[in-house]
């Protein structure tokens, strides 16, 4: 149980285009999902917290107009990187926390974004 | 403010020997503590957690961790290392009374030498 999927696993896009990454909880309902960014050989940095049916809460320094987050259902959150630039190239990981008060987060496999 | 320190970037251990990956934390209240493992180009896999109760927590793949409140530590241990344990390990903390997001340490790369 507690499986989280991400799609796509890898994406290459041209500078200036937008990319959407999906995060799904496959076997549980996730009231809260989190989006992280990981640079090579570094830890995960929380970008935003997404609650189903409400606006996402962004961490300081994260541009909400650039990284659009939608949590339309209890099993799906999406991150859209708008007008992507090469410096947005990174490994993006989502996680989900179950609605039963589970304290741990379950992580997706990540999406490698490369902006050329 | 919450923070997590993993003082070792790299830990090397011979196969069959015990391993320890260190973690210390700082929170304003009582912590929830977690260990995750990451394999190359993969997301994080949950290993174990301390919420309440026994200070010694047992998790997946034979790993365990001991919560030490006085030393604010939550070191990850395994009695006998396997080559397949080689990976990147992250310690994370969450303040019970605060927001539900996790704060991660910088990670420790464990290499088990055959």
């Amino acid at each position: 149980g507690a499986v989280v999927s991400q799609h796509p696993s890898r994406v290459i896009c041209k500078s200036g285009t937008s990319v959407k990454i999906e995060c799904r909880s496959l076997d549980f309902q996730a009231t809260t999902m989190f989006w992280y960014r990981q640079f090579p050989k570094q830890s995960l940095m929380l970008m935003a917290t997404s609650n189903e049916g409400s606006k996402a809460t962004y961490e300081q320094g994260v541009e909400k107009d650039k990284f659009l987050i939608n949590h339309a259902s209890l099993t799906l959150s999406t991150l859209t990187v708008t007008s992507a630039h090469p410096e947005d190239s990174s490994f993006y990981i989502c996680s989900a926390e179950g609605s039963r008060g589970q304290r741990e987060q379950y992580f997706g496999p990540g999406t490698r974004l490369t902006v050329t | 403010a919450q923070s997590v320190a993993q003082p070792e970037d790299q830990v090397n251990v011979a196969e069959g020997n015990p391993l320890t990956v260190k973690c210390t934390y700082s929170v304003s209240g009582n912590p929830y503590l977690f260990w995750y493992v990451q394999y190359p180009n993969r997301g994080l896999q949950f290993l174990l957690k301390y919420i309440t109760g026994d200070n010694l927590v047992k998790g997946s793949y034979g790993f365990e961790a001991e919560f030490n409140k006085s030393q604010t530590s939550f070191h990850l241990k395994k009695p006998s290392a396997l080559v397949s344990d080689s990976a990147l390990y992250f310690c994370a903390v969450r303040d019970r009374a605060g927001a539900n997001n996790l704060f991660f340490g910088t990670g420790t790369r464990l290499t088990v030498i055959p």
Side-chain angles (χ1 to χ4, degrees), chain A:
Chain A
V3 178
V4 176
S5 69
Q6 270 184 253
H7 178 80
S9 57
R10 289 178 179 269
V11 58
I12 300 173
C13 70
K14 292 186 177 180
S15 188
T17 62
S18 296
V19 173
K20 180 185 284 188
I21 302 170
E22 291 186 349
C23 177
R24 294 181 184 273
S25 57
L26 298 185
D27 51 2
F28 67 103
Q29 293 184 327
T31 54
T32 304
M33 288 185 169
F34 303 87
W35 287 96
Y36 295 87
R37 185 173 178 176
Q38 186 181 30
F39 291 101
K41 299 184 179 180
Q42 293 190 27
S43 188
L44 281 73
M45 299 300 296
L46 179 67
M47 298 175 65
T49 302
S50 158
N51 293 299
E52 187 266 337
S54 63
K55 291 183 178 180
T57 303
Y58 290 82
E59 294 300 299
Q60 192 172 8
V62 178
E63 298 176 59
K64 60 182 66 176
D65 294 331
K66 181 170 184 61
F67 297 100
L68 300 179
I69 291 173
N70 185 285
H71 193 160
S73 75
L74 286 172
T75 59
L76 173 64
S77 177
T78 60
L79 167 68
T80 301
V81 182
T82 62
S83 187
H85 289 112
E87 58 264 31
D88 298 326
S89 298
S90 191
F91 195 51
Y92 292 87
I93 305 175
C94 74
S95 70
E97 187 174 280
S99 58
R100 291 173 294 168
Q102 299 167 323
R103 301 295 189 268
E104 65 268 30
Q105 295 176 20
Y106 295 92
F107 285 80
T111 297
R112 173 77 58 193
L113 170 64
T114 303
V115 184
T116 61

Side-chain angles (χ1 to χ4, degrees), chain B residues 40-55:
Chain B
N41 295 313
R42 302 287 298 277
L44 274 66
Q45 295 179 28
F46 170 74
L47 276 181
L48 52 78
K49 65 181 177 183
Y50 170 79
I51 302 298
T52 188
D54 289 342
N55 290 341

Side-chain angles (χ1 to χ4, degrees), chain B residues 13-105:
Chain B
V13 63
E15 186 177 23
N17 282 3
L19 69 87
T20 298
V21 182
K22 296 179 180 178
C23 172
T24 58
Y25 66 90
S26 175
V27 296
S28 55
N30 292 314
Y32 294 136
L33 294 157
F34 306 85
W35 275 102
Y36 288 86
V37 59
Q38 185 180 33
Y39 296 97
N41 295 313
R42 302 287 298 277
L44 274 66
Q45 295 179 28
F46 170 74
L47 276 181
L48 52 78
K49 65 181 177 183
Y50 170 79
I51 302 298
T52 188
D54 289 342
N55 290 341
L56 183 63
V57 178
K58 295 187 182 296
S60 305
Y61 312 120
F63 283 93
E64 59 187 30
E66 186 165 12
F67 170 59
N68 187 318
K69 188 173 183 178
S70 63
Q71 297 184 3
T72 62
S73 67
F74 191 57
H75 302 327
L76 181 70
K77 299 184 179 184
K78 186 172 182 179
S80 178
L82 301 173
V83 173
S84 58
D85 292 330
S86 299
L88 187 59
Y89 290 81
F90 289 99
C91 181
V93 69
R94 173 185 152 184
D95 188 342
R96 290 179 191 231
N100 54 355
N101 52 291
L102 295 174
F103 289 84
F104 284 87

